Amino acid sequence: MAANFAYQNIRDFEFIIQEWLPTEQIFNYPQFADYYSKDDVKSVLQPILKLAKEVVEPTNEDGDKNPVKLENGKVTLPPTFGPLFKQLQQEGWGTSNIDESEDAMVLPHILHSMVWEMLAAANPTFGPYIILTSGAAGLIQSFGDDHLKEMFLPKMMDGTWSGTMCLTEPTAGSDVGDILSRAYPTDDPRLFKIKGSKIFITGGDNDFTENIIHLYLARVEGAKSGTKGISLFVVPKYWVNEDGSLGELNDVETTAAEHKLGQHGSCTAALSFGENNTCRGWLLGKNPLENDGAGEGMAQMFQMMNGARMETGHAALSCIANAYYNARDYAKERIQGRPLTNPKGDRVTIINHEDIKRALLCGKAHVEAMRAMMYKIYFAFDVRHCDPDPEVRAKANDLVEVATPLCKAYPSDEAWWLIGEAIQCYGGYGYCEEYPVAQIARDVKIYSIWEGTNFIQSMDLIGRKWMLKKGAAFGAFVQEMRDFFEANKGVEGFEREFENLGRALDAYTQIQMAIGGYFGNKQYGMMPLYSRRILTATAQLFCGRLILDQALLAAKKAQEVGAGHFDYEFYTGKVAVARYYLRNVVPNVWAVAEIVKDGDTSVLDVPIGAFEY
């Protein structure tokens, strides 16, 4: 009973692509013009809604009830995972969507991401197997020579082989520059012997693909220290011969499968490479010994990491949405209590009670605001990849760069308490494993930790993205929101919402000035002290601007169609969530501003010994 994919329709996706964003720009690019238009949204997504419910959802319960096992060095995964992996890959919903060949028929990023939101909601545990395979294949596609592409990509794209990213080690997690993995030259300048160990490798082993292709970070012996000396290697579990056939085990062994709070069907593995001194890998990019000791591994890996950060935040959003949808459906059926306004009347379904309506509107508002943010950025992904104008591509890239930490951290930070609100709607039943929200809570928590903890995302925002292009990129990001405010602040019926958006914009300027002042006074500890709260405030400001834009459009549409139209409540719901978000969530921006300006240093001042009591 626990697994329940509760998405009922694709109306919000249709609104985003067909009504809100100017997606005709995307569908007119040569890559897509002959295959799709924005009117094809339903024909693509409606079958996915059905696939998610009928095919993917059952694998979610299988994954939770039949967790990964490691016995005698071999892992066993839930039995439904292998067939699903092959089906999704072979039907074109997975890795093949990165194919850049001229005759490739791929979905625009914004539409493909809608596919994956539903699939991720139906089984959060399964998605990483395909997402990581796609990311690993993308690195080979971007940085490998023709020989490596021919050797690896076809079998990774059709589901015969899977892929991973291997960064974390027992002694080096977020501080990747301190990794101990080493690579040693061989007689073949393309090949290096690999020695080291990695932990927390998602999808690190499985029993349903013929090979696993690890994209592995290591330091070539003699290269520079720190991140500058790290290189990236293609290290298969089984050696791949020059003719593409599989050889012997490549001295890669699974030493542990982690026992986790959630995501029980996902093999999070500890891996040993080169224990017998026979592990080999192909170098991607320049040999650091021929490049003044500098490796290219971190720059290359960030291509995969930045995509994975977006997908991690999006997976968190899918869990929030599915928890909200489940709570909504339960609240529509559960009869309990009488309205305070009519205490002698009949008992009512709990969706009629004020606090349940508050919790549900809170969930709906966050889902639709976060979704607006995610797809605004996925739209920019398509523009930066496809637009013929270099200046247009550069502006889109700036938006992606600035917003990536927001898209990763904001949904995954808020998911924990938002899903807690969904659990609360169920009362005691929500805490029972027979109901789906308990598992969703367990499964979602990892997303705030994956792909760089959300503290790292916040430091990226303030330490790097605020200063990108000497501050011009982030300045343009804020200015666009201010331009939107100035152009629309007089719209009748939305005066209070725009007043709050304007106040939040002013407060954000105060936040930046306060952090600048602390730096000027060499109070360097103040930035990491406040960075996570500033990231949250930044995302709330951006989401507020976007959901208010949707509301202006929806209000016009509601007036056009009239109260008797089947879409009327959809549009009025858009207006309601914008009002809620601007008046209940966005005020946190100026609350954070007051906290940052206050400059409380109690965290910095408290002695470590005080934590003993």
Side-chain angles (χ1 to χ4, degrees):
M1 178 179 175
N4 190 18
F5 173 72
Y7 282 55
Q8 298 296 330
N9 58 66
I10 58 168
R11 186 64 184 90
D12 200 30
F13 295 141
E14 292 177 299
F15 176 80
I16 289 169
I17 284 190
Q18 295 181 324
E19 300 176 72
W20 180 48
L21 292 175
T23 52
E24 60 276 359
Q25 175 183 346
I26 303 298
F27 290 101
N28 285 335
Y29 289 137
Q31 293 92 325
F32 312 122
D34 292 337
Y35 304 116
Y36 306 105
S37 75
K38 69 179 192 178
D39 296 327
D40 294 325
V41 173
K42 182 168 287 186
S43 66
V44 173
L45 297 184
Q46 198 68 42
I48 294 297
L49 186 69
K50 187 171 186 286
L51 176 75
K53 183 65 179 177
E54 296 179 0
V55 178
V56 182
E57 182 191 292
T59 69
N60 188 21
E61 186 167 6
D62 184 27
D64 202 50
K65 298 294 187 289
N66 297 290
V68 174
K69 296 177 182 177
L70 176 63
E71 296 175 345
N72 301 318
K74 294 187 179 297
V75 299
T76 302
L77 269 72
T80 57
F81 276 33
L84 180 62
F85 183 85
K86 290 178 173 60
Q87 178 179 346
L88 295 180
Q89 293 284 51
Q90 291 169 2
E91 291 181 359
W93 302 118
T95 305
S96 62
N97 206 66
I98 69 167
D99 192 351
E100 293 183 349
S101 58
E102 289 185 9
D103 60 346
M105 183 177 172
V106 299
L107 291 172
H109 211 108
I110 187 171
L111 186 53
H112 188 250
S113 297
M114 290 176 176
V115 169
W116 270 96
E117 179 177 326
M118 289 188 282
L119 297 180
N123 186 347
T125 301
F126 176 79
Y129 288 106
I130 286 182
I131 289 169
L132 289 166
T133 300
S134 302
L139 288 177
I140 296 171
Q141 189 173 69
S142 296
F143 305 111
D145 58 27
D146 289 341
H147 180 68
L148 287 180
K149 292 177 185 178
E150 292 170 6
M151 184 179 291
F152 290 102
L153 292 182
K155 291 186 178 180
M156 295 179 77
M157 287 185 177
D158 70 11
T160 305
W161 297 347
S162 63
T164 75
M165 56 192 297
C166 292
L167 288 81
T168 304
E169 300 186 0
T171 58
S174 301
D175 49 351
V176 180
D178 292 324
I179 63 172
L180 299 179
S181 288
R182 291 292 184 266
Y184 302 91
T186 68
D187 293 338
D188 186 334
R190 302 175 305 161
L191 296 178
F192 287 74
K193 280 197 169 184
I194 304 295
K195 195 169 185 64
S197 60
K198 301 288 183 178
I199 61 171
F200 298 142
I201 306 305
T202 303
D205 203 353
N206 71 65
D207 59 357
F208 55 75
T209 60
E210 295 177 7
N211 205 358
I212 302 171
I213 313 305
H214 302 288
L215 273 291
Y216 189 96
L217 287 181
R219 192 184 318 280
V220 173
E221 191 68 13
K224 288 183 176 180
S225 61
T227 56
K228 292 182 179 179
I230 294 175
S231 296
L232 185 60
F233 299 86
V234 180
V235 183
K237 177 180 179 179
Y238 290 96
W239 188 247
V240 182
N241 299 316
E242 291 296 315
D243 64 0
S245 63
L246 291 186
E248 72 282 0
L249 187 67
N250 189 31
D251 200 5
V252 179
E253 295 189 10
T254 301
T255 58
E258 306 298 346
H259 299 280
K260 299 169 296 184
L261 172 68
Q263 304 241 352
H264 294 155
S266 171
C267 181
T268 303
L271 303 173
S272 173
F273 294 79
E275 188 68 24
N276 300 308
N277 210 32
T278 58
C279 182
R280 292 170 290 169
W282 284 270
L283 174 67
L284 289 179
K286 296 178 182 178
N287 186 334
L289 301 182
E290 300 171 357
N291 192 39
D292 196 30
E296 298 179 318
M298 285 305 297
Q300 293 166 340
M301 186 61 90
F302 263 106
Q303 172 183 298
M304 185 174 180
M305 287 179 64
N306 282 335
R309 286 172 175 175
M310 287 289 299
E311 287 148 1
T312 297
H314 200 188
L317 168 58
S318 75
C319 287
I320 299 168
N322 201 34
Y324 154 64
Y325 295 145
N326 272 284
R328 171 204 63 195
D329 293 347
Y330 179 82
K332 286 162 60 178
E333 297 177 358
R334 172 67 165 163
I335 297 174
Q336 187 171 0
R338 295 169 175 82
L340 285 176
T341 54
N342 186 17
K344 294 184 179 180
D346 293 336
R347 300 170 77 218
V348 296
T349 52
I350 63 173
I351 199 169
N352 290 283
H353 294 310
E354 291 81 358
D355 189 56
I356 299 296
K357 285 186 74 177
R358 176 206 57 78
L360 293 176
L361 187 57
C362 176
K364 179 177 170 66
H366 278 87
V367 166
E368 295 185 17
M370 291 173 182
R371 193 177 275 158
M373 176 176 69
M374 296 300 304
Y375 290 111
K376 178 77 171 179
I377 305 309
Y378 283 131
F379 178 91
F381 265 72
D382 284 316
V383 173
R384 78 167 181 180
H385 184 67
C386 301
D387 201 274
D389 188 333
E391 187 175 337
V392 173
R393 290 199 307 271
K395 288 181 179 178
N397 185 67
D398 287 348
L399 178 58
V400 171
E401 290 290 326
V402 166
T404 293
L406 308 181
C407 291
K408 191 277 178 180
Y410 182 52
S412 58
D413 264 340
E414 305 303 292
W416 193 237
W417 74 266
L418 284 169
I419 294 171
E421 286 284 89
I423 291 173
Q424 196 74 15
C425 289
Y426 282 78
Y429 288 121
Y431 197 62
C432 297
E433 291 288 349
E434 289 79 6
Y435 289 84
V437 286
Q439 183 189 336
I440 296 172
R442 288 190 285 104
D443 286 344
V444 82
K445 189 64 194 84
I446 188 59
Y447 296 133
S448 65
I449 300 168
W450 269 1
E451 305 306 333
T453 65
N454 286 350
F455 167 70
I456 289 175
Q457 308 305 318
S458 69
M459 292 295 284
D460 176 46
L461 173 70
I462 297 174
R464 294 187 182 93
K465 303 308 167 60
W466 274 13
M467 303 309 298
L468 185 64
K469 293 187 175 179
K470 298 182 179 179
F474 196 85
F477 174 72
V478 175
Q479 186 60 47
E480 191 281 334
M481 291 189 280
R482 189 164 288 282
D483 291 344
F484 170 76
F485 164 73
E486 294 292 342
N488 294 283
K489 62 184 179 181
V491 174
E492 186 177 352
F494 290 92
E495 293 86 355
R496 180 61 183 274
E497 288 74 26
F498 275 101
E499 178 186 340
N500 281 11
L501 182 63
R503 183 176 176 184
L505 281 162
D506 292 341
Y508 198 81
T509 299
Q510 296 169 23
I511 290 172
Q512 290 192 292
M513 290 177 64
I515 293 296
Y518 294 137
F519 255 72
N521 294 330
K522 297 184 178 181
Q523 294 175 276
Y524 301 126
M526 300 298 271
M527 184 173 83
L529 180 62
Y530 292 122
S531 61
R532 283 189 67 185
R533 282 174 281 187
I534 293 173
L535 183 148
T536 299
T538 311
Q540 289 168 334
L541 175 62
F542 187 41
C543 284
R545 175 259 181 267
L546 296 175
I547 200 69
L548 194 46
D549 188 31
Q550 287 193 356
L552 295 179
L553 174 60
K556 291 179 183 177
K557 295 274 190 176
Q559 188 173 17
E560 289 171 6
V561 301
H565 193 272
F566 62 85
D567 257 340
Y568 182 76
E569 289 190 341
F570 171 79
Y571 291 129
T572 54
K574 280 285 179 189
V575 174
V577 298
R579 295 200 195 287
Y580 181 91
Y581 197 87
L582 268 294
R583 296 169 74 164
N584 292 271
V585 180
V586 169
N588 184 59
V589 179
W590 58 81
V592 170
E594 292 303 313
I595 292 169
V596 174
K597 289 189 297 180
D598 178 50
D600 170 42
T601 60
S602 56
V603 171
L604 306 179
D605 299 337
V606 64
I608 299 299
F611 293 107
E612 299 296 324
Y613 303 95

